[in-house]
mmCIF file of all heavy atoms in Angstrom:
data_model
loop_
_atom_site.group_PDB
_atom_site.id
_atom_site.type_symbol
_atom_site.label_atom_id
_atom_site.label_comp_id
_atom_site.label_asym_id
_atom_site.label_seq_id
_atom_site.Cartn_x
_atom_site.Cartn_y
_atom_site.Cartn_z
ATOM 1 N N PRO A 508 172.837 172.415 130.295
ATOM 2 C CA PRO A 508 172.419 173.773 130.674
ATOM 3 C C PRO A 508 170.949 174.072 130.380
ATOM 4 O O PRO A 508 170.340 174.898 131.054
ATOM 5 C CB PRO A 508 173.343 174.677 129.842
ATOM 6 C CG PRO A 508 173.997 173.800 128.826
ATOM 7 C CD PRO A 508 173.996 172.412 129.379
ATOM 8 N N ARG A 509 170.359 173.337 129.413
ATOM 9 C CA ARG A 509 168.968 173.677 129.066
ATOM 10 C C ARG A 509 167.989 173.326 130.186
ATOM 11 O O ARG A 509 166.843 173.761 130.170
ATOM 12 C CB ARG A 509 168.570 173.016 127.747
ATOM 13 C CG ARG A 509 168.178 171.570 127.847
ATOM 14 C CD ARG A 509 167.989 170.947 126.482
ATOM 15 N NE ARG A 509 168.633 169.645 126.487
ATOM 16 C CZ ARG A 509 168.100 168.547 125.972
ATOM 17 N NH1 ARG A 509 166.943 168.601 125.363
ATOM 18 N NH2 ARG A 509 168.737 167.396 126.040
ATOM 19 N N PHE A 510 168.412 172.534 131.169
ATOM 20 C CA PHE A 510 167.497 172.164 132.259
ATOM 21 C C PHE A 510 167.605 173.071 133.475
ATOM 22 O O PHE A 510 166.765 173.027 134.360
ATOM 23 C CB PHE A 510 167.769 170.727 132.712
ATOM 24 C CG PHE A 510 167.436 169.690 131.689
ATOM 25 C CD1 PHE A 510 168.377 168.771 131.272
ATOM 26 C CD2 PHE A 510 166.149 169.631 131.142
ATOM 27 C CE1 PHE A 510 168.066 167.806 130.325
ATOM 28 C CE2 PHE A 510 165.826 168.667 130.196
ATOM 29 C CZ PHE A 510 166.793 167.762 129.778
ATOM 30 N N VAL A 511 168.644 173.898 133.529
ATOM 31 C CA VAL A 511 168.961 174.601 134.779
ATOM 32 C C VAL A 511 167.846 175.556 135.196
ATOM 33 O O VAL A 511 167.336 175.484 136.320
ATOM 34 C CB VAL A 511 170.315 175.346 134.655
ATOM 35 C CG1 VAL A 511 170.553 176.220 135.878
ATOM 36 C CG2 VAL A 511 171.458 174.344 134.471
ATOM 37 N N GLU A 512 167.442 176.437 134.288
ATOM 38 C CA GLU A 512 166.476 177.454 134.677
ATOM 39 C C GLU A 512 165.119 176.829 135.025
ATOM 40 O O GLU A 512 164.492 177.207 136.010
ATOM 41 C CB GLU A 512 166.309 178.470 133.536
ATOM 42 C CG GLU A 512 165.784 179.791 134.058
ATOM 43 C CD GLU A 512 166.018 180.916 133.074
ATOM 44 O OE1 GLU A 512 167.193 181.215 132.755
ATOM 45 O OE2 GLU A 512 165.014 181.499 132.622
ATOM 46 N N ARG A 513 164.722 175.823 134.233
ATOM 47 C CA ARG A 513 163.425 175.191 134.502
ATOM 48 C C ARG A 513 163.461 174.425 135.834
ATOM 49 O O ARG A 513 162.469 174.416 136.568
ATOM 50 C CB ARG A 513 163.055 174.248 133.346
ATOM 51 C CG ARG A 513 161.698 173.660 133.529
ATOM 52 C CD ARG A 513 160.998 173.266 132.246
ATOM 53 N NE ARG A 513 159.678 172.749 132.586
ATOM 54 C CZ ARG A 513 159.208 171.568 132.195
ATOM 55 N NH1 ARG A 513 159.919 170.784 131.399
ATOM 56 N NH2 ARG A 513 158.008 171.184 132.570
ATOM 57 N N ALA A 514 164.605 173.814 136.143
ATOM 58 C CA ALA A 514 164.720 173.081 137.413
ATOM 59 C C ALA A 514 164.541 174.039 138.589
ATOM 60 O O ALA A 514 163.907 173.697 139.592
ATOM 61 C CB ALA A 514 166.073 172.392 137.494
ATOM 62 N N GLU A 515 165.082 175.251 138.466
ATOM 63 C CA GLU A 515 164.946 176.234 139.549
ATOM 64 C C GLU A 515 163.491 176.638 139.744
ATOM 65 O O GLU A 515 163.065 176.950 140.855
ATOM 66 C CB GLU A 515 165.801 177.474 139.235
ATOM 67 C CG GLU A 515 167.288 177.214 139.419
ATOM 68 C CD GLU A 515 168.148 178.440 139.136
ATOM 69 O OE1 GLU A 515 167.691 179.351 138.416
ATOM 70 O OE2 GLU A 515 169.283 178.468 139.640
ATOM 71 N N VAL A 516 162.729 176.616 138.669
ATOM 72 C CA VAL A 516 161.305 176.948 138.745
ATOM 73 C C VAL A 516 160.522 175.783 139.354
ATOM 74 O O VAL A 516 159.730 175.966 140.283
ATOM 75 C CB VAL A 516 160.765 177.300 137.337
ATOM 76 C CG1 VAL A 516 159.239 177.334 137.328
ATOM 77 C CG2 VAL A 516 161.345 178.628 136.860
ATOM 78 N N VAL A 517 160.762 174.574 138.844
ATOM 79 C CA VAL A 517 159.998 173.404 139.295
ATOM 80 C C VAL A 517 160.168 173.205 140.803
ATOM 81 O O VAL A 517 159.209 172.968 141.529
ATOM 82 C CB VAL A 517 160.423 172.132 138.520
ATOM 83 C CG1 VAL A 517 159.763 170.892 139.113
ATOM 84 C CG2 VAL A 517 160.084 172.261 137.041
ATOM 85 N N ARG A 518 161.392 173.339 141.306
ATOM 86 C CA ARG A 518 161.616 173.055 142.738
ATOM 87 C C ARG A 518 161.066 174.169 143.620
ATOM 88 O O ARG A 518 160.891 173.978 144.813
ATOM 89 C CB ARG A 518 163.103 172.850 143.001
ATOM 90 C CG ARG A 518 163.840 174.143 142.979
ATOM 91 C CD ARG A 518 165.307 174.088 143.149
ATOM 92 N NE ARG A 518 165.724 175.476 143.165
ATOM 93 C CZ ARG A 518 166.454 176.036 144.107
ATOM 94 N NH1 ARG A 518 166.932 175.335 145.083
ATOM 95 N NH2 ARG A 518 166.728 177.320 144.051
ATOM 96 N N GLU A 519 160.776 175.341 143.033
ATOM 97 C CA GLU A 519 160.191 176.470 143.778
ATOM 98 C C GLU A 519 158.697 176.552 143.507
ATOM 99 O O GLU A 519 158.153 177.610 143.230
ATOM 100 C CB GLU A 519 160.870 177.786 143.369
ATOM 101 C CG GLU A 519 162.018 178.208 144.268
ATOM 102 C CD GLU A 519 161.585 178.765 145.615
ATOM 103 O OE1 GLU A 519 160.458 178.471 146.073
ATOM 104 O OE2 GLU A 519 162.394 179.517 146.200
ATOM 105 N N LYS A 520 158.028 175.419 143.594
ATOM 106 C CA LYS A 520 156.574 175.315 143.449
ATOM 107 C C LYS A 520 156.084 175.873 142.108
ATOM 108 O O LYS A 520 154.965 176.402 142.002
ATOM 109 C CB LYS A 520 155.841 176.044 144.596
ATOM 110 C CG LYS A 520 156.233 175.575 145.982
ATOM 111 C CD LYS A 520 157.343 176.442 146.552
ATOM 112 C CE LYS A 520 157.908 175.843 147.815
ATOM 113 N NZ LYS A 520 159.209 176.442 148.202
ATOM 114 N N GLY A 521 156.943 175.799 141.093
ATOM 115 C CA GLY A 521 156.540 176.268 139.765
ATOM 116 C C GLY A 521 156.608 177.783 139.604
ATOM 117 O O GLY A 521 156.076 178.325 138.629
ATOM 118 N N THR A 522 157.271 178.469 140.537
ATOM 119 C CA THR A 522 157.385 179.939 140.416
ATOM 120 C C THR A 522 158.795 180.346 139.978
ATOM 121 O O THR A 522 159.735 179.572 140.098
ATOM 122 C CB THR A 522 157.109 180.644 141.761
ATOM 123 O OG1 THR A 522 158.223 180.406 142.643
ATOM 124 C CG2 THR A 522 155.831 180.153 142.416
ATOM 125 N N ASP A 523 158.896 181.586 139.515
ATOM 126 C CA ASP A 523 160.219 182.095 139.118
ATOM 127 C C ASP A 523 160.854 182.901 140.259
ATOM 128 O O ASP A 523 161.499 183.918 140.040
ATOM 129 C CB ASP A 523 160.133 182.919 137.826
ATOM 130 C CG ASP A 523 159.096 184.036 137.899
ATOM 131 O OD1 ASP A 523 158.409 184.167 138.950
ATOM 132 O OD2 ASP A 523 158.970 184.781 136.917
ATOM 133 N N ARG A 524 160.674 182.387 141.495
ATOM 134 C CA ARG A 524 161.208 183.091 142.666
ATOM 135 C C ARG A 524 162.744 183.202 142.628
ATOM 136 O O ARG A 524 163.299 184.191 143.083
ATOM 137 C CB ARG A 524 160.770 182.389 143.954
ATOM 138 C CG ARG A 524 161.199 183.129 145.199
ATOM 139 C CD ARG A 524 160.206 183.040 146.321
ATOM 140 N NE ARG A 524 160.133 181.714 146.902
ATOM 141 C CZ ARG A 524 159.365 181.391 147.954
ATOM 142 N NH1 ARG A 524 158.603 182.318 148.522
ATOM 143 N NH2 ARG A 524 159.342 180.178 148.422
ATOM 144 N N SER A 525 163.426 182.191 142.070
ATOM 145 C CA SER A 525 164.889 182.255 142.011
ATOM 146 C C SER A 525 165.328 183.442 141.157
ATOM 147 O O SER A 525 166.266 184.158 141.511
ATOM 148 C CB SER A 525 165.476 180.968 141.434
ATOM 149 O OG SER A 525 165.185 179.887 142.285
ATOM 150 N N ARG A 526 164.648 183.640 140.043
ATOM 151 C CA ARG A 526 164.976 184.793 139.180
ATOM 152 C C ARG A 526 164.672 186.111 139.901
ATOM 153 O O ARG A 526 165.419 187.078 139.783
ATOM 154 C CB ARG A 526 164.168 184.728 137.878
ATOM 155 C CG ARG A 526 164.979 184.207 136.700
ATOM 156 C CD ARG A 526 164.138 184.083 135.459
ATOM 157 N NE ARG A 526 163.334 182.864 135.492
ATOM 158 C CZ ARG A 526 162.373 182.566 134.612
ATOM 159 N NH1 ARG A 526 162.076 183.416 133.653
ATOM 160 N NH2 ARG A 526 161.702 181.443 134.698
ATOM 161 N N PHE A 527 163.578 186.120 140.647
ATOM 162 C CA PHE A 527 163.191 187.311 141.420
ATOM 163 C C PHE A 527 164.281 187.671 142.435
ATOM 164 O O PHE A 527 164.713 188.815 142.539
ATOM 165 C CB PHE A 527 161.857 187.026 142.122
ATOM 166 C CG PHE A 527 161.418 188.074 143.105
ATOM 167 C CD1 PHE A 527 160.969 189.318 142.673
ATOM 168 C CD2 PHE A 527 161.436 187.808 144.484
ATOM 169 C CE1 PHE A 527 160.550 190.285 143.589
ATOM 170 C CE2 PHE A 527 161.018 188.752 145.400
ATOM 171 C CZ PHE A 527 160.579 190.000 144.950
ATOM 172 N N TYR A 528 164.787 186.652 143.164
ATOM 173 C CA TYR A 528 165.838 186.896 144.152
ATOM 174 C C TYR A 528 167.123 187.401 143.512
ATOM 175 O O TYR A 528 167.886 188.122 144.116
ATOM 176 C CB TYR A 528 166.132 185.619 144.968
ATOM 177 C CG TYR A 528 165.112 185.375 146.052
ATOM 178 C CD1 TYR A 528 164.675 184.089 146.327
ATOM 179 C CD2 TYR A 528 164.590 186.436 146.803
ATOM 180 C CE1 TYR A 528 163.728 183.843 147.322
ATOM 181 C CE2 TYR A 528 163.653 186.200 147.791
ATOM 182 C CZ TYR A 528 163.224 184.911 148.044
ATOM 183 O OH TYR A 528 162.293 184.679 149.027
ATOM 184 N N ARG A 529 167.351 186.992 142.279
ATOM 185 C CA ARG A 529 168.553 187.468 141.584
ATOM 186 C C ARG A 529 168.330 188.824 140.931
ATOM 187 O O ARG A 529 169.218 189.365 140.286
ATOM 188 C CB ARG A 529 168.970 186.444 140.511
ATOM 189 C CG ARG A 529 169.638 185.195 141.083
ATOM 190 C CD ARG A 529 170.372 184.427 140.002
ATOM 191 N NE ARG A 529 169.441 183.913 138.988
ATOM 192 C CZ ARG A 529 168.982 182.650 139.000
ATOM 193 N NH1 ARG A 529 169.361 181.810 139.926
ATOM 194 N NH2 ARG A 529 168.147 182.248 138.071
ATOM 195 N N GLY A 530 167.093 189.349 141.065
ATOM 196 C CA GLY A 530 166.789 190.664 140.504
ATOM 197 C C GLY A 530 166.536 190.638 139.003
ATOM 198 O O GLY A 530 166.551 191.678 138.343
ATOM 199 N N GLN A 531 166.283 189.436 138.466
ATOM 200 C CA GLN A 531 166.077 189.339 137.011
ATOM 201 C C GLN A 531 164.626 189.633 136.608
ATOM 202 O O GLN A 531 164.356 189.933 135.456
ATOM 203 C CB GLN A 531 166.498 187.947 136.514
ATOM 204 C CG GLN A 531 168.007 187.720 136.596
ATOM 205 C CD GLN A 531 168.390 186.257 136.434
ATOM 206 O OE1 GLN A 531 167.726 185.376 136.971
ATOM 207 N NE2 GLN A 531 169.455 186.005 135.700
ATOM 208 N N VAL A 532 163.698 189.499 137.582
ATOM 209 C CA VAL A 532 162.302 189.897 137.329
ATOM 210 C C VAL A 532 161.838 190.701 138.535
ATOM 211 O O VAL A 532 162.390 190.557 139.633
ATOM 212 C CB VAL A 532 161.369 188.666 137.111
ATOM 213 C CG1 VAL A 532 161.630 188.016 135.769
ATOM 214 C CG2 VAL A 532 161.539 187.645 138.236
#
Side-chain angles (χ1 to χ4, degrees):
R509 80 188 136 136
F510 293 125
V511 172
E512 203 162 298
R513 184 153 182 233
E515 286 181 338
V516 167
V517 173
R518 75 183 183 127
E519 265 285 22
K520 304 94 190 165
T522 72
D523 53 359
R524 185 145 70 177
S525 296
R526 259 177 280 171
F527 172 71
Y528 281 141
R529 285 196 296 262
Q531 291 166 319
V532 288

